Amino acid sequence: VETCPQYLYLTDEDVKEKGPWCKFAPPPRGKEERAEMRRLLQGGWVETVATDHAPYGRERKEAGVENIWDAPNGIPGLETHLPLLLNGVAEGWLTLERLVQVASENPAKLYGVFPRKGALMVGSDADMVVVDMGVAREIRDEDQVSACGWTPYHGMRMQGWPVMSIIRGE
């Protein structure tokens, strides 16, 4: 089973409040289902956490303000993926070890590139992200580098933040 960060944070209430800005498939469910997905993730029933990253521009999403069916389906997720999962670690419903498994090791195995990718060991590419669990930051639209320039997580405060990326040891 695979899941996306939006299923771990957004609920049907967010769709009612934010309309087309939280339109994605399958649609978000209630708080009970979100809690269950978090439990399944930590318990090993979810193998990977990924994002489909659908960075539609504001004008495309705004088309659905009056009629949600006029907005394209999907939300941006690339930049918020790791901060959302790190926040899960800070909140205690996810361990750092499990995060590494579902966001790095297991995807590398599924794509057949493990242990060159998804591991820190002799012979691996030394790809890694350094995180600081002591950093708390608010996710803001204006900080998004993605071409769409917005995020459904705008205003949410996350604990734990990536501070450096190392690719092939550089």
Side-chain angles (χ1 to χ4, degrees), residues 82 86 127-132 161-167 169-170:
L82 186 54
L86 290 170
D127 298 336
M128 65 182 114
V129 177
V130 178
V131 302
D132 187 340
W161 207 262
V163 294
M164 180 187 301
S165 296
I166 301 173
I167 314 280
E170 299 289 322

Side-chain angles (χ1 to χ4, degrees), residues 83-101:
L84 291 168
L85 293 173
L86 290 170
N87 194 68
V89 172
E91 290 178 345
W93 53 264
L94 183 63
T95 64
L96 201 51
E97 294 79 13
R98 187 74 181 122
L99 184 158
V100 170
Q101 283 180 329

Side-chain angles (χ1 to χ4, degrees), residues 68-123:
I68 198 164
W69 301 110
D70 292 337
N73 199 43
I75 60 176
L78 193 60
E79 295 171 65
T80 55
H81 180 257
L82 186 54
L84 291 168
L85 293 173
L86 290 170
N87 194 68
V89 172
E91 290 178 345
W93 53 264
L94 183 63
T95 64
L96 201 51
E97 294 79 13
R98 187 74 181 122
L99 184 158
V100 170
Q101 283 180 329
V102 299
S104 182
E105 182 182 332
N106 289 351
K109 288 177 178 177
L110 287 169
Y111 281 104
V113 294
F114 184 86
R116 187 172 57 87
K117 303 287 186 188
L120 274 180
M121 52 198 303
V122 174

Side-chain angles (χ1 to χ4, degrees), residues 19-87:
W21 304 103
C22 285
K23 180 185 174 189
F24 57 86
R29 308 292 186 206
K31 290 180 182 177
E32 298 80 21
E33 289 86 354
R34 180 180 64 188
E36 180 65 2
M37 182 59 75
R38 290 176 174 184
R39 186 188 72 75
L40 292 171
L41 172 61
Q42 181 57 31
W45 292 95
V46 175
E47 293 179 307
T48 64
V49 177
T51 174
D52 63 356
H53 187 61
Y56 294 105
R58 293 177 192 270
E59 67 286 342
R60 301 264 324 266
K61 283 300 219 176
E62 285 171 353
V65 169
E66 296 299 320
N67 179 356
I68 198 164
W69 301 110
D70 292 337
N73 199 43
I75 60 176
L78 193 60
E79 295 171 65
T80 55
H81 180 257
L82 186 54
L84 291 168
L85 293 173
L86 290 170
N87 194 68

